[in-house]
Amino acid sequence: GDSVTQMEGPVTLSEEAFLTINCTYTATGYPSLFWYVQYPGEGLQLLLKATKADDKGSNKGFEATYRKETTSFHLEKGSVQVSDSAVYFCALSPSGGYNKLIFGAGTRLAVHP
Amino acid sequence: KAGVTQTPRYLIKTRGQQVTLSCSPISGHRSVSWYQQTPGQGLQFLFEYFSETQRNKGNFPGRFSGRQFSNSRSEMNVSTLELGDSALYLCASSLEGAANTEAFFGQGTRLTVV
């Protein structure tokens, strides 16, 4: 079945460091891909999305490119801030799957000043 | 614009009991999905409703059920509670029924089964 694998955390970085969180997926057809973020004490929020191959999603300095050849959707940010500390979830919505989301295990990011 | 509202926020139940959780989606949203979040299994899809019809169901036993009302509000029910049902239950609403539509999540209901 469809699945998402993302790198295990926690990831600990200093402020202004470069961030990469790896995400790969297994799915038939052409799923939509998402990154959701869960800040401490808050609900899940959509960070960015991409709906077809080679699409780049971007928001708040974060970027991810839908790579069908490598079935990947890695999250990157050039310079992280303390306020980026959160848990990041990679997710896919199967083609024809309506609003069903399949999530990765989540990666906790801690950014220190 | 009000977000997704889930009630109650916290719940403690005894094994064998049943429980009903409620979700009020964002006004105008017709799709409501439910997820279970646990430290061991992560976020798992339970089911999705659109215009009062269940369109998708995850791999959970029949003790987990749901419904959606004509105003798009949704409830999920868990019967014969087990200790393993302790989890954060999240509801998400979406404007449309397409797979690439953004899902807006509520804060969740934390269920503890003792």
Side-chain angles (χ1 to χ4, degrees):
Chain A
D2 298 345
S3 64
V4 175
T5 303
Q6 60 181 107
M7 62 187 286
E8 291 188 24
V11 173
T12 304
L13 295 173
S14 298
E15 208 165 22
E16 299 184 3
F18 184 84
L19 168 72
T20 299
I21 301 178
N22 290 336
C23 171
T24 57
Y25 69 89
T26 301
T28 54
Y30 298 90
S32 295
L33 301 175
F34 305 82
W35 277 100
Y36 279 84
V37 58
Q38 191 170 36
Y39 296 104
E42 298 185 20
L44 280 164
Q45 303 172 24
L46 177 67
L47 182 59
L48 53 83
K49 71 176 185 181
T51 59
K52 61 183 188 296
D54 300 325
D55 263 4
K56 178 186 280 189
S58 60
N59 186 26
K60 299 181 182 180
F62 291 90
E63 292 183 339
T65 301
Y66 188 142
R67 301 282 188 205
K68 190 152 179 66
E69 64 275 15
T70 54
T71 61
S72 65
F73 193 55
H74 305 320
L75 182 68
E76 296 182 336
K77 186 175 185 183
S79 176
V80 293
Q81 305 300 312
V82 172
S83 57
D84 293 327
S85 298
V87 182
Y88 292 81
F89 293 91
C90 184
L92 70 83
S93 183
S95 52
Y98 304 113
N99 286 317
K100 173 181 180 177
L101 287 168
I102 296 171
F103 285 91
T107 302
R108 183 175 300 278
L109 170 66
V111 181
H112 298 290
Chain B
K1 188 170 172 180
V4 178
T5 304
Q6 292 187 244
T7 56
R9 290 292 311 280
Y10 302 91
L11 208 47
I12 300 175
K13 289 287 189 178
T14 304
R15 266 181 305 176
Q17 287 186 314
Q18 75 164 15
V19 67
T20 299
L21 312 182
S22 179
C23 172
S24 292
I26 292 171
S27 178
H29 286 195
R30 293 196 294 162
S31 171
V32 174
S33 304
W34 289 89
Y35 295 83
Q36 181 195 66
Q37 186 176 23
T38 60
Q41 300 297 317
L43 277 156
Q44 293 187 285
F45 173 79
L46 279 156
F47 26 67
E48 187 246 356
Y49 288 87
F50 184 81
S51 293
E52 301 179 67
T53 301
Q54 184 183 91
R55 297 195 299 183
N56 229 330
K57 190 177 192 310
N59 295 325
F60 279 81
R63 300 185 297 106
F64 291 81
S65 63
R67 59 178 175 168
Q68 186 180 33
F69 301 96
S70 58
N71 61 358
S72 293
R73 191 177 71 84
S74 177
E75 289 182 347
M76 69 163 280
N77 184 277
V78 188
S79 62
T80 320
L81 283 165
E82 300 176 1
L83 295 179
D85 297 333
S86 295
L88 180 66
Y89 290 88
L90 294 169
C91 166
S93 78
S94 301
L95 180 61
E96 300 169 355
N100 58 8
T101 307
E102 177 178 358
F104 293 82
F105 284 81
Q107 297 270 56
T109 294
R110 184 163 297 282
L111 171 65
T112 302
V113 182
V114 297

